[in-house]
Amino acid sequence: MAGEPLILPFREVAPEVRRRERSRRIRGVLLIGPAVLLVALFLYFPLVFIVQMSLTDSDSYLSPAGPVYTLANYAAMVGRYLPNVLVTLQLAALAMIVDLIFGFPFAYILVRRVRYRDVVRAFMVFPMFGALYIAFGMRFILLPGGPASPLFELLGIANTSVLYSLPSVVFAMAIFTFPFMVLNVGAALSNVDPTLEEAAACLGAKPRQTFTRVLLPLTRAGTVAGMLMVFGWSIGVFAEPLLLGSINEQKSLAWTLYQRGVVQTDYGLSTTMGVVLLIFAFVVSYLSLRYSRNALVD
Amino acid sequence: MTEAMDLPAPAAKRSRRRPVTRREVVLILSHAYIWLILIVFVLPFLALFAYSLTGPGGEYAIENFQYVMGSFSENLVWSFIVVGLTLVLDLVIALPAAHVIVRYSFPGKRLLFSALTLPLYVPGAVIGISLVLVYNFTYHLTTTVWGLVLAMVVGSFPLMLMPIVVAMRDLPIVFEEASECLGATRLTTFWRIVFPLIGPGVSAGLMLAFIIVFNEYLVTLFVHPPGITTAPLRVFNLVRTAGLLPTTAALAVTLQLISFGAVLLFFKVFGTRYLKGTYLL
């Protein structure tokens, strides 16, 4: 159990060593205790709580007669609310694809060609401040009379057909999650020796072949991790469909969850949506961490 | 991806006469691509910034920012109170936890670390709904600011933990051993030796937690006590109910500028080494 190997010069010191060992162990428990208590009380217990609540009917959890246990909420998720689940998955998948298409070349150029990386980092901080500001800003840009309206007039399309549409939602989501993709792909690419590409070129490979036969296989883990991370972050999308989407995109699970739970107090259904979101997020994050080989602890 | 490493000989000969080779064109296009994406990144911010400086008749006006100091000041003050309390709690909890994770070895450590950093991967709406229900039915925390603060702490604590763990792992244990051999108590060793040496990691954690908590509107929307509206939540409410107003844009711009200032300050003082493994490269 000891952290560092102890070298015992004499047999006699063993009891003292054991005593110190025990007090060190107690200290360790006390030091990590607050953190464990925090996540236990404010993450794991609430999550168990909503799993339990998702098995009760509507707001029967509060009724004096006691909660009515039912699976109806889960039946509704694959029945009446299946479109909501599918829209959420569709939005996340599209954001992931957009990020991959634009993020891979971006990460490549950033790692191989760009010397002003700190400037790029400073710019890339902006999406981190939150999807709310991105959605707000894009809504302003796309509104009739906004900065983009001359462009729309030129192209002869109505502002609102772009503003309240799937592409604008996906675009805002992609901006928000873009840094995650670049981070993962960039980390994978910086581990690939540039001489491998030069060797491929010297051996007569065309750029496209170098890409598909050398770069892509070598960075697959990072790319997959980035895609999964983007997907996991996009699954709880909230502000973008609300501010930029049509009725269809506003069916996204997180927003529906808020309306059913907080506005209409249908706790059973709302927590069920929470559990579904949670399952998606966990599966995706687990796979992502497995691929990215979290190197912080070992 | 690697354009034009070696062109066929005749083409190369022909291109030598032209002032711009294909390689240079590719290089220029690559940089143009980087800048295009970066501009797209800041475009929503720039648009809001321009809008926040627009008066009622479309003329230039700085008055909107007076609202930020005026009727929005209450929201800003709440934001700073919540962020301040959250950061203090984050630090108090994360420092000892990081020490145990780095300096102790025990079975299941990896699992414990994953369990502690799991809040990062739970969608905000799920944290929000689960906490608001638990606050209502079990903890009775709905009317105090502490409910909100603790919700922020659980969400941002992994961001504090990770850079500190990175910094402590980079710190050889010999400093602590030397200090203890020279008779310092454990607390003295920590405050005089370890804490100053992991300073950059601590600052990275503080910066990350600050910008996430300061701009959090989603969890706040669920768990905010009646009467307490933080600035980002105010932005959200106003965008939802009042449509687009230059004053709302001014508040959003102010929040982003404060966040950006924190990031720039950090970059200037510490660089980016300690942000590895977190959001930023």
Side-chain angles (χ1 to χ4, degrees), chain A residues 1 24 41 44 62 102 108 116 129 133 136 140 143 178 197 233 239 296-297, chain B residues 2 31 33 35 41 103-105 110 113 115 137 139 166 169 215 217 244 279:
Chain A
M1 297 293 263
R24 184 180 136 85
L41 284 179
Y44 292 102
L62 292 174
F102 287 98
Y108 180 82
Y116 44 87
F129 297 155
Y133 305 136
F136 183 17
F140 166 65
L143 266 185
F178 195 77
E197 290 160 49
W233 273 80
L296 273 179
V297 209
Chain B
T2 50
H31 287 282
Y33 177 72
W35 283 101
F41 268 174
R103 292 287 184 244
Y104 283 64
S105 72
R110 189 178 266 275
F113 186 73
F137 299 132
Y139 294 169
V166 171
R169 283 171 60 88
N215 295 300
Y217 68 98
L244 288 181
Y279 288 92

mmCIF file of all heavy atoms in Angstrom, chain A residues 1 24 41 44 62 102 108 116 129 133 136 140 143 178 197 233 239 296-297, chain B residues 2 31 33 35 41 103-105 110 113 115 137 139 166 169 215 217 244 279:
data_model
loop_
_atom_site.group_PDB
_atom_site.id
_atom_site.type_symbol
_atom_site.label_atom_id
_atom_site.label_comp_id
_atom_site.label_asym_id
_atom_site.label_seq_id
_atom_site.Cartn_x
_atom_site.Cartn_y
_atom_site.Cartn_z
ATOM 1 N N MET A 1 0.816 -1.202 0.000
ATOM 2 C CA MET A 1 0.000 0.000 0.000
ATOM 3 C C MET A 1 0.856 1.261 0.000
ATOM 4 O O MET A 1 0.368 2.325 -0.319
ATOM 5 C CB MET A 1 -0.908 0.036 1.239
ATOM 6 C CG MET A 1 -1.915 -1.092 1.300
ATOM 7 S SD MET A 1 -3.137 -0.955 0.003
ATOM 8 C CE MET A 1 -4.448 -0.149 0.896
ATOM 9 N N ARG A 24 -0.219 7.570 7.778
ATOM 10 C CA ARG A 24 -0.169 8.114 6.428
ATOM 11 C C ARG A 24 -1.430 7.748 5.656
ATOM 12 O O ARG A 24 -1.994 8.555 4.918
ATOM 13 C CB ARG A 24 1.059 7.558 5.700
ATOM 14 C CG ARG A 24 1.283 8.134 4.314
ATOM 15 C CD ARG A 24 2.516 7.516 3.683
ATOM 16 N NE ARG A 24 2.263 7.156 2.311
ATOM 17 C CZ ARG A 24 2.384 7.993 1.288
ATOM 18 N NH1 ARG A 24 2.750 9.220 1.488
ATOM 19 N NH2 ARG A 24 2.130 7.585 0.062
ATOM 20 N N LEU A 41 -22.246 13.383 -2.869
ATOM 21 C CA LEU A 41 -23.478 14.074 -2.476
ATOM 22 C C LEU A 41 -24.093 14.871 -3.612
ATOM 23 O O LEU A 41 -25.314 14.974 -3.701
ATOM 24 C CB LEU A 41 -23.193 15.019 -1.302
ATOM 25 C CG LEU A 41 -23.025 14.380 0.064
ATOM 26 C CD1 LEU A 41 -22.725 15.453 1.102
ATOM 27 C CD2 LEU A 41 -24.274 13.625 0.453
ATOM 28 N N TYR A 44 -23.333 11.772 -7.584
ATOM 29 C CA TYR A 44 -23.801 10.387 -7.661
ATOM 30 C C TYR A 44 -25.155 10.204 -7.008
ATOM 31 O O TYR A 44 -26.032 9.549 -7.573
ATOM 32 C CB TYR A 44 -22.741 9.441 -7.082
ATOM 33 C CG TYR A 44 -21.527 9.422 -7.957
ATOM 34 C CD1 TYR A 44 -20.378 10.121 -7.621
ATOM 35 C CD2 TYR A 44 -21.557 8.767 -9.177
ATOM 36 C CE1 TYR A 44 -19.289 10.146 -8.460
ATOM 37 C CE2 TYR A 44 -20.471 8.779 -10.017
ATOM 38 C CZ TYR A 44 -19.341 9.472 -9.658
ATOM 39 O OH TYR A 44 -18.277 9.509 -10.499
ATOM 40 N N LEU A 62 -44.347 12.872 -5.385
ATOM 41 C CA LEU A 62 -44.701 13.812 -4.323
ATOM 42 C C LEU A 62 -46.004 13.464 -3.628
ATOM 43 O O LEU A 62 -46.289 13.986 -2.550
ATOM 44 C CB LEU A 62 -44.859 15.215 -4.922
ATOM 45 C CG LEU A 62 -43.609 15.879 -5.437
ATOM 46 C CD1 LEU A 62 -43.964 17.183 -6.118
ATOM 47 C CD2 LEU A 62 -42.663 16.120 -4.301
ATOM 48 N N PHE A 102 -13.712 20.072 -41.042
ATOM 49 C CA PHE A 102 -12.958 21.317 -40.940
ATOM 50 C C PHE A 102 -11.812 21.216 -39.940
ATOM 51 O O PHE A 102 -10.833 21.937 -40.052
ATOM 52 C CB PHE A 102 -13.890 22.467 -40.544
ATOM 53 C CG PHE A 102 -14.795 22.894 -41.648
ATOM 54 C CD1 PHE A 102 -16.090 22.426 -41.716
ATOM 55 C CD2 PHE A 102 -14.346 23.749 -42.643
ATOM 56 C CE1 PHE A 102 -16.930 22.813 -42.744
ATOM 57 C CE2 PHE A 102 -15.182 24.133 -43.673
ATOM 58 C CZ PHE A 102 -16.478 23.658 -43.727
ATOM 59 N N TYR A 108 -3.927 19.825 -38.747
ATOM 60 C CA TYR A 108 -2.718 19.484 -39.497
ATOM 61 C C TYR A 108 -1.870 20.721 -39.772
ATOM 62 O O TYR A 108 -0.665 20.752 -39.503
ATOM 63 C CB TYR A 108 -3.087 18.788 -40.812
ATOM 64 C CG TYR A 108 -1.885 18.421 -41.618
ATOM 65 C CD1 TYR A 108 -1.181 17.257 -41.338
ATOM 66 C CD2 TYR A 108 -1.410 19.256 -42.622
ATOM 67 C CE1 TYR A 108 -0.047 16.922 -42.048
ATOM 68 C CE2 TYR A 108 -0.276 18.942 -43.339
ATOM 69 C CZ TYR A 108 0.400 17.777 -43.048
ATOM 70 O OH TYR A 108 1.522 17.456 -43.734
ATOM 71 N N TYR A 116 2.666 30.793 -35.110
ATOM 72 C CA TYR A 116 1.987 31.731 -34.200
ATOM 73 C C TYR A 116 0.871 30.990 -33.446
ATOM 74 O O TYR A 116 -0.264 31.397 -33.420
ATOM 75 C CB TYR A 116 1.410 32.916 -34.990
ATOM 76 C CG TYR A 116 0.698 32.545 -36.264
ATOM 77 C CD1 TYR A 116 -0.657 32.201 -36.248
ATOM 78 C CD2 TYR A 116 1.362 32.523 -37.485
ATOM 79 C CE1 TYR A 116 -1.320 31.855 -37.406
ATOM 80 C CE2 TYR A 116 0.709 32.173 -38.646
ATOM 81 C CZ TYR A 116 -0.634 31.843 -38.594
ATOM 82 O OH TYR A 116 -1.292 31.484 -39.744
ATOM 83 N N PHE A 129 -16.295 30.061 -24.035
ATOM 84 C CA PHE A 129 -17.077 30.880 -23.111
ATOM 85 C C PHE A 129 -18.533 30.451 -23.100
ATOM 86 O O PHE A 129 -19.281 30.851 -22.227
ATOM 87 C CB PHE A 129 -16.965 32.367 -23.465
ATOM 88 C CG PHE A 129 -15.575 32.891 -23.345
ATOM 89 C CD1 PHE A 129 -15.158 33.988 -24.062
ATOM 90 C CD2 PHE A 129 -14.670 32.264 -22.506
ATOM 91 C CE1 PHE A 129 -13.868 34.464 -23.956
ATOM 92 C CE2 PHE A 129 -13.378 32.733 -22.389
ATOM 93 C CZ PHE A 129 -12.980 33.831 -23.117
ATOM 94 N N TYR A 133 -23.392 32.492 -26.052
ATOM 95 C CA TYR A 133 -22.946 33.690 -26.756
ATOM 96 C C TYR A 133 -22.839 33.438 -28.261
ATOM 97 O O TYR A 133 -23.132 34.321 -29.065
ATOM 98 C CB TYR A 133 -21.590 34.163 -26.225
ATOM 99 C CG TYR A 133 -21.563 34.387 -24.736
ATOM 100 C CD1 TYR A 133 -20.499 33.949 -23.971
ATOM 101 C CD2 TYR A 133 -22.613 35.026 -24.090
ATOM 102 C CE1 TYR A 133 -20.463 34.154 -22.612
ATOM 103 C CE2 TYR A 133 -22.592 35.228 -22.724
ATOM 104 C CZ TYR A 133 -21.515 34.790 -21.986
ATOM 105 O OH TYR A 133 -21.479 34.980 -20.645
ATOM 106 N N PHE A 136 -26.368 33.442 -29.561
ATOM 107 C CA PHE A 136 -26.856 34.819 -29.514
ATOM 108 C C PHE A 136 -26.265 35.626 -30.671
ATOM 109 O O PHE A 136 -26.973 36.306 -31.416
ATOM 110 C CB PHE A 136 -26.481 35.407 -28.149
ATOM 111 C CG PHE A 136 -26.955 36.799 -27.884
ATOM 112 C CD1 PHE A 136 -27.964 37.385 -28.640
ATOM 113 C CD2 PHE A 136 -26.395 37.535 -26.846
ATOM 114 C CE1 PHE A 136 -28.398 38.669 -28.375
ATOM 115 C CE2 PHE A 136 -26.830 38.817 -26.575
ATOM 116 C CZ PHE A 136 -27.820 39.391 -27.344
ATOM 117 N N PHE A 140 -28.168 37.174 -34.053
ATOM 118 C CA PHE A 140 -28.123 38.582 -34.445
ATOM 119 C C PHE A 140 -27.638 38.729 -35.886
ATOM 120 O O PHE A 140 -28.196 39.496 -36.669
ATOM 121 C CB PHE A 140 -27.220 39.362 -33.490
ATOM 122 C CG PHE A 140 -26.854 40.715 -33.991
ATOM 123 C CD1 PHE A 140 -27.827 41.692 -34.161
ATOM 124 C CD2 PHE A 140 -25.553 41.016 -34.326
ATOM 125 C CE1 PHE A 140 -27.509 42.937 -34.638
ATOM 126 C CE2 PHE A 140 -25.219 42.267 -34.812
ATOM 127 C CZ PHE A 140 -26.200 43.226 -34.972
ATOM 128 N N LEU A 143 -30.496 37.541 -38.296
ATOM 129 C CA LEU A 143 -31.822 38.168 -38.229
ATOM 130 C C LEU A 143 -32.056 39.096 -39.418
ATOM 131 O O LEU A 143 -31.107 39.680 -39.939
ATOM 132 C CB LEU A 143 -31.946 38.984 -36.942
ATOM 133 C CG LEU A 143 -32.565 38.334 -35.720
ATOM 134 C CD1 LEU A 143 -32.693 39.357 -34.621
ATOM 135 C CD2 LEU A 143 -33.922 37.724 -36.039
ATOM 136 N N PHE A 178 -15.548 22.763 -31.788
ATOM 137 C CA PHE A 178 -14.379 22.685 -32.658
ATOM 138 C C PHE A 178 -13.056 22.522 -31.902
ATOM 139 O O PHE A 178 -12.227 21.687 -32.277
ATOM 140 C CB PHE A 178 -14.347 23.931 -33.557
ATOM 141 C CG PHE A 178 -13.418 23.838 -34.723
ATOM 142 C CD1 PHE A 178 -13.763 23.108 -35.838
ATOM 143 C CD2 PHE A 178 -12.196 24.488 -34.698
ATOM 144 C CE1 PHE A 178 -12.911 23.028 -36.912
ATOM 145 C CE2 PHE A 178 -11.330 24.403 -35.777
ATOM 146 C CZ PHE A 178 -11.693 23.680 -36.890
ATOM 147 N N GLU A 197 5.970 11.383 -43.483
ATOM 148 C CA GLU A 197 5.295 11.920 -44.659
ATOM 149 C C GLU A 197 6.299 12.147 -45.779
ATOM 150 O O GLU A 197 6.025 11.852 -46.940
ATOM 151 C CB GLU A 197 4.616 13.253 -44.321
ATOM 152 C CG GLU A 197 3.419 13.096 -43.419
ATOM 153 C CD GLU A 197 3.083 14.403 -42.724
ATOM 154 O OE1 GLU A 197 3.009 15.421 -43.415
ATOM 155 O OE2 GLU A 197 2.935 14.385 -41.492
ATOM 156 N N TRP A 233 -20.196 16.097 -26.070
ATOM 157 C CA TRP A 233 -20.515 17.455 -25.640
ATOM 158 C C TRP A 233 -21.754 17.985 -26.345
ATOM 159 O O TRP A 233 -22.450 18.847 -25.816
ATOM 160 C CB TRP A 233 -19.332 18.378 -25.897
ATOM 161 C CG TRP A 233 -18.380 18.375 -24.766
ATOM 162 C CD1 TRP A 233 -17.429 17.419 -24.517
ATOM 163 C CD2 TRP A 233 -18.284 19.304 -23.700
ATOM 164 N NE1 TRP A 233 -16.766 17.713 -23.368
ATOM 165 C CE2 TRP A 233 -17.263 18.870 -22.842
ATOM 166 C CE3 TRP A 233 -18.968 20.478 -23.381
ATOM 167 C CZ2 TRP A 233 -16.906 19.563 -21.690
ATOM 168 C CZ3 TRP A 233 -18.608 21.154 -22.235
ATOM 169 C CH2 TRP A 233 -17.591 20.704 -21.410
ATOM 170 N N ALA A 239 -28.894 25.735 -25.853
ATOM 171 C CA ALA A 239 -29.180 27.097 -26.300
ATOM 172 C C ALA A 239 -29.310 27.207 -27.815
ATOM 173 O O ALA A 239 -30.114 27.995 -28.312
ATOM 174 C CB ALA A 239 -28.089 28.052 -25.810
ATOM 175 N N LEU A 296 -3.108 10.947 -17.328
ATOM 176 C CA LEU A 296 -2.895 11.746 -16.123
ATOM 177 C C LEU A 296 -2.504 10.895 -14.928
ATOM 178 O O LEU A 296 -1.654 11.261 -14.136
ATOM 179 C CB LEU A 296 -4.161 12.539 -15.796
ATOM 180 C CG LEU A 296 -4.257 13.882 -16.489
ATOM 181 C CD1 LEU A 296 -5.555 14.565 -16.128
ATOM 182 C CD2 LEU A 296 -3.098 14.761 -16.088
ATOM 183 N N VAL A 297 -3.163 9.750 -14.775
ATOM 184 C CA VAL A 297 -2.870 8.900 -13.611
ATOM 185 C C VAL A 297 -2.270 7.593 -14.082
ATOM 186 O O VAL A 297 -2.788 6.987 -15.017
ATOM 187 C CB VAL A 297 -4.174 8.525 -12.856
ATOM 188 C CG1 VAL A 297 -3.870 8.308 -11.405
ATOM 189 C CG2 VAL A 297 -5.252 9.507 -13.091
ATOM 190 N N THR B 2 0.011 16.549 -47.670
ATOM 191 C CA THR B 2 1.308 17.162 -47.954
ATOM 192 C C THR B 2 1.360 17.442 -49.436
ATOM 193 O O THR B 2 1.665 16.561 -50.239
ATOM 194 C CB THR B 2 2.453 16.218 -47.600
ATOM 195 O OG1 THR B 2 2.171 14.968 -48.203
ATOM 196 C CG2 THR B 2 2.587 16.066 -46.135
ATOM 197 N N HIS B 31 -2.541 29.023 -44.558
ATOM 198 C CA HIS B 31 -2.652 30.079 -43.555
ATOM 199 C C HIS B 31 -3.966 30.823 -43.696
ATOM 200 O O HIS B 31 -4.591 31.192 -42.694
ATOM 201 C CB HIS B 31 -1.466 31.028 -43.657
ATOM 202 C CG HIS B 31 -0.195 30.428 -43.138
ATOM 203 N ND1 HIS B 31 0.067 30.340 -41.798
ATOM 204 C CD2 HIS B 31 0.847 29.850 -43.769
ATOM 205 C CE1 HIS B 31 1.231 29.740 -41.628
ATOM 206 N NE2 HIS B 31 1.726 29.427 -42.811
ATOM 207 N N TYR B 33 -6.683 29.537 -44.639
ATOM 208 C CA TYR B 33 -7.698 28.648 -44.050
ATOM 209 C C TYR B 33 -7.745 28.806 -42.536
ATOM 210 O O TYR B 33 -8.813 28.946 -41.936
ATOM 211 C CB TYR B 33 -7.376 27.206 -44.441
ATOM 212 C CG TYR B 33 -8.306 26.186 -43.833
ATOM 213 C CD1 TYR B 33 -9.611 26.080 -44.287
ATOM 214 C CD2 TYR B 33 -7.887 25.350 -42.809
ATOM 215 C CE1 TYR B 33 -10.478 25.155 -43.745
ATOM 216 C CE2 TYR B 33 -8.737 24.422 -42.255
ATOM 217 C CZ TYR B 33 -10.029 24.325 -42.726
ATOM 218 O OH TYR B 33 -10.878 23.418 -42.180
ATOM 219 N N TRP B 35 -6.844 31.360 -40.769
ATOM 220 C CA TRP B 35 -7.399 32.660 -40.385
ATOM 221 C C TRP B 35 -8.893 32.734 -40.647
ATOM 222 O O TRP B 35 -9.622 33.366 -39.878
ATOM 223 C CB TRP B 35 -6.646 33.787 -41.090
ATOM 224 C CG TRP B 35 -5.343 34.004 -40.415
ATOM 225 C CD1 TRP B 35 -4.123 33.568 -40.831
ATOM 226 C CD2 TRP B 35 -5.128 34.628 -39.142
ATOM 227 N NE1 TRP B 35 -3.160 33.887 -39.900
ATOM 228 C CE2 TRP B 35 -3.750 34.541 -38.850
ATOM 229 C CE3 TRP B 35 -5.961 35.244 -38.213
ATOM 230 C CZ2 TRP B 35 -3.191 35.051 -37.685
ATOM 231 C CZ3 TRP B 35 -5.412 35.761 -37.045
ATOM 232 C CH2 TRP B 35 -4.042 35.659 -36.799
ATOM 233 N N PHE B 41 -14.658 31.932 -35.724
ATOM 234 C CA PHE B 41 -14.738 31.773 -34.274
ATOM 235 C C PHE B 41 -15.171 33.051 -33.565
ATOM 236 O O PHE B 41 -15.961 33.023 -32.642
ATOM 237 C CB PHE B 41 -13.359 31.392 -33.720
ATOM 238 C CG PHE B 41 -13.145 29.926 -33.627
ATOM 239 C CD1 PHE B 41 -11.922 29.425 -33.267
ATOM 240 C CD2 PHE B 41 -14.168 29.049 -33.896
ATOM 241 C CE1 PHE B 41 -11.712 28.073 -33.185
ATOM 242 C CE2 PHE B 41 -13.972 27.699 -33.812
ATOM 243 C CZ PHE B 41 -12.734 27.216 -33.464
ATOM 244 N N ARG B 103 0.697 11.408 -4.853
ATOM 245 C CA ARG B 103 1.712 10.885 -3.935
ATOM 246 C C ARG B 103 1.354 9.544 -3.298
ATOM 247 O O ARG B 103 2.202 8.935 -2.671
ATOM 248 C CB ARG B 103 1.970 11.902 -2.819
ATOM 249 C CG ARG B 103 2.639 13.179 -3.310
ATOM 250 C CD ARG B 103 4.090 12.952 -3.643
ATOM 251 N NE ARG B 103 4.739 14.196 -4.030
ATOM 252 C CZ ARG B 103 5.241 14.435 -5.239
ATOM 253 N NH1 ARG B 103 5.155 13.517 -6.187
ATOM 254 N NH2 ARG B 103 5.808 15.579 -5.514
ATOM 255 N N TYR B 104 0.137 9.107 -3.408
ATOM 256 C CA TYR B 104 -0.236 7.822 -2.831
ATOM 257 C C TYR B 104 -0.434 6.827 -3.965
ATOM 258 O O TYR B 104 -0.756 7.216 -5.085
ATOM 259 C CB TYR B 104 -1.550 7.923 -2.050
ATOM 260 C CG TYR B 104 -1.420 8.572 -0.691
ATOM 261 C CD1 TYR B 104 -1.034 9.906 -0.584
ATOM 262 C CD2 TYR B 104 -1.688 7.864 0.466
ATOM 263 C CE1 TYR B 104 -0.922 10.510 0.659
ATOM 264 C CE2 TYR B 104 -1.589 8.465 1.721
ATOM 265 C CZ TYR B 104 -1.198 9.790 1.803
ATOM 266 O OH TYR B 104 -1.096 10.396 3.016
ATOM 267 N N SER B 105 -0.230 5.551 -3.642
ATOM 268 C CA SER B 105 -0.631 4.557 -4.625
ATOM 269 C C SER B 105 -1.478 3.520 -3.918
ATOM 270 O O SER B 105 -1.125 3.049 -2.840
ATOM 271 C CB SER B 105 0.586 3.921 -5.281
ATOM 272 O OG SER B 105 1.230 3.077 -4.369
ATOM 273 N N ARG B 110 -6.968 4.732 -10.344
ATOM 274 C CA ARG B 110 -7.414 5.187 -11.655
ATOM 275 C C ARG B 110 -8.942 5.345 -11.678
ATOM 276 O O ARG B 110 -9.477 6.326 -12.186
ATOM 277 C CB ARG B 110 -6.979 4.162 -12.690
ATOM 278 C CG ARG B 110 -7.163 4.576 -14.117
ATOM 279 C CD ARG B 110 -6.629 3.472 -15.010
ATOM 280 N NE ARG B 110 -5.259 3.690 -15.412
ATOM 281 C CZ ARG B 110 -4.930 4.450 -16.473
ATOM 282 N NH1 ARG B 110 -5.856 5.041 -17.174
ATOM 283 N NH2 ARG B 110 -3.685 4.606 -16.813
ATOM 284 N N PHE B 113 -9.953 8.391 -9.703
ATOM 285 C CA PHE B 113 -9.724 9.626 -10.459
ATOM 286 C C PHE B 113 -10.807 9.819 -11.514
ATOM 287 O O PHE B 113 -11.325 10.918 -11.698
ATOM 288 C CB PHE B 113 -8.337 9.581 -11.117
ATOM 289 C CG PHE B 113 -7.970 10.866 -11.801
ATOM 290 C CD1 PHE B 113 -7.644 11.982 -11.062
ATOM 291 C CD2 PHE B 113 -7.968 10.948 -13.182
ATOM 292 C CE1 PHE B 113 -7.315 13.174 -11.689
ATOM 293 C CE2 PHE B 113 -7.643 12.127 -13.813
ATOM 294 C CZ PHE B 113 -7.313 13.243 -13.062
ATOM 295 N N ALA B 115 -13.796 8.670 -11.328
ATOM 296 C CA ALA B 115 -15.038 8.989 -10.619
ATOM 297 C C ALA B 115 -15.071 10.462 -10.224
ATOM 298 O O ALA B 115 -16.126 11.092 -10.242
ATOM 299 C CB ALA B 115 -15.185 8.109 -9.381
ATOM 300 N N PHE B 137 -36.345 18.018 -2.751
ATOM 301 C CA PHE B 137 -36.983 16.957 -1.984
ATOM 302 C C PHE B 137 -36.123 16.437 -0.851
ATOM 303 O O PHE B 137 -36.637 15.877 0.099
ATOM 304 C CB PHE B 137 -37.371 15.804 -2.907
ATOM 305 C CG PHE B 137 -38.342 16.228 -3.958
ATOM 306 C CD1 PHE B 137 -38.156 15.892 -5.294
ATOM 307 C CD2 PHE B 137 -39.449 16.986 -3.618
ATOM 308 C CE1 PHE B 137 -39.050 16.306 -6.254
ATOM 309 C CE2 PHE B 137 -40.347 17.401 -4.571
ATOM 310 C CZ PHE B 137 -40.151 17.069 -5.902
ATOM 311 N N TYR B 139 -32.373 17.831 0.097
ATOM 312 C CA TYR B 139 -31.394 18.684 0.759
ATOM 313 C C TYR B 139 -31.976 20.020 1.237
ATOM 314 O O TYR B 139 -31.382 20.684 2.074
ATOM 315 C CB TYR B 139 -30.216 18.982 -0.175
ATOM 316 C CG TYR B 139 -29.370 17.795 -0.539
ATOM 317 C CD1 TYR B 139 -28.423 17.892 -1.546
ATOM 318 C CD2 TYR B 139 -29.493 16.584 0.129
ATOM 319 C CE1 TYR B 139 -27.636 16.818 -1.892
ATOM 320 C CE2 TYR B 139 -28.711 15.504 -0.214
ATOM 321 C CZ TYR B 139 -27.787 15.621 -1.227
ATOM 322 O OH TYR B 139 -27.004 14.565 -1.568
ATOM 323 N N VAL B 166 -1.351 17.538 -12.878
ATOM 324 C CA VAL B 166 -0.245 17.619 -13.839
ATOM 325 C C VAL B 166 0.965 18.296 -13.194
ATOM 326 O O VAL B 166 2.099 17.819 -13.286
ATOM 327 C CB VAL B 166 -0.690 18.382 -15.106
ATOM 328 C CG1 VAL B 166 0.503 18.673 -16.002
ATOM 329 C CG2 VAL B 166 -1.722 17.594 -15.868
ATOM 330 N N ARG B 169 2.642 16.110 -10.494
ATOM 331 C CA ARG B 169 3.387 14.985 -11.067
ATOM 332 C C ARG B 169 4.745 15.438 -11.592
ATOM 333 O O ARG B 169 5.701 14.670 -11.581
ATOM 334 C CB ARG B 169 2.597 14.349 -12.204
ATOM 335 C CG ARG B 169 1.467 13.472 -11.744
ATOM 336 C CD ARG B 169 0.625 13.089 -12.919
ATOM 337 N NE ARG B 169 1.406 12.371 -13.905
ATOM 338 C CZ ARG B 169 1.577 11.062 -13.904
ATOM 339 N NH1 ARG B 169 1.009 10.343 -12.969
ATOM 340 N NH2 ARG B 169 2.280 10.476 -14.826
ATOM 341 N N ASN B 215 -19.358 31.891 -16.910
ATOM 342 C CA ASN B 215 -20.252 31.916 -18.077
ATOM 343 C C ASN B 215 -21.334 30.857 -18.029
ATOM 344 O O ASN B 215 -22.033 30.645 -19.012
ATOM 345 C CB ASN B 215 -19.426 31.751 -19.357
ATOM 346 C CG ASN B 215 -18.499 32.925 -19.578
ATOM 347 O OD1 ASN B 215 -18.950 34.044 -19.691
ATOM 348 N ND2 ASN B 215 -17.208 32.669 -19.604
ATOM 349 N N TYR B 217 -24.720 29.235 -17.638
ATOM 350 C CA TYR B 217 -26.115 29.668 -17.546
ATOM 351 C C TYR B 217 -27.059 28.485 -17.400
ATOM 352 O O TYR B 217 -28.153 28.612 -16.894
ATOM 353 C CB TYR B 217 -26.509 30.459 -18.788
ATOM 354 C CG TYR B 217 -26.560 29.595 -20.026
ATOM 355 C CD1 TYR B 217 -27.766 29.081 -20.484
ATOM 356 C CD2 TYR B 217 -25.399 29.251 -20.691
ATOM 357 C CE1 TYR B 217 -27.804 28.255 -21.590
ATOM 358 C CE2 TYR B 217 -25.432 28.425 -21.782
ATOM 359 C CZ TYR B 217 -26.637 27.933 -22.234
ATOM 360 O OH TYR B 217 -26.676 27.094 -23.304
ATOM 361 N N LEU B 244 -33.869 40.613 -29.234
ATOM 362 C CA LEU B 244 -32.506 41.120 -29.252
ATOM 363 C C LEU B 244 -32.480 42.590 -28.892
ATOM 364 O O LEU B 244 -33.155 43.398 -29.506
ATOM 365 C CB LEU B 244 -31.891 40.920 -30.642
ATOM 366 C CG LEU B 244 -31.543 39.492 -31.010
ATOM 367 C CD1 LEU B 244 -30.928 39.457 -32.384
ATOM 368 C CD2 LEU B 244 -30.596 38.903 -30.001
ATOM 369 N N TYR B 279 -9.072 21.727 -21.642
ATOM 370 C CA TYR B 279 -9.736 22.156 -22.865
ATOM 371 C C TYR B 279 -8.768 22.631 -23.918
ATOM 372 O O TYR B 279 -8.953 22.423 -25.099
ATOM 373 C CB TYR B 279 -10.666 23.334 -22.592
ATOM 374 C CG TYR B 279 -11.891 22.985 -21.850
ATOM 375 C CD1 TYR B 279 -11.935 23.057 -20.489
ATOM 376 C CD2 TYR B 279 -13.028 22.591 -22.529
ATOM 377 C CE1 TYR B 279 -13.064 22.756 -19.803
ATOM 378 C CE2 TYR B 279 -14.161 22.288 -21.852
ATOM 379 C CZ TYR B 279 -14.189 22.368 -20.484
ATOM 380 O OH TYR B 279 -15.294 22.069 -19.809
#
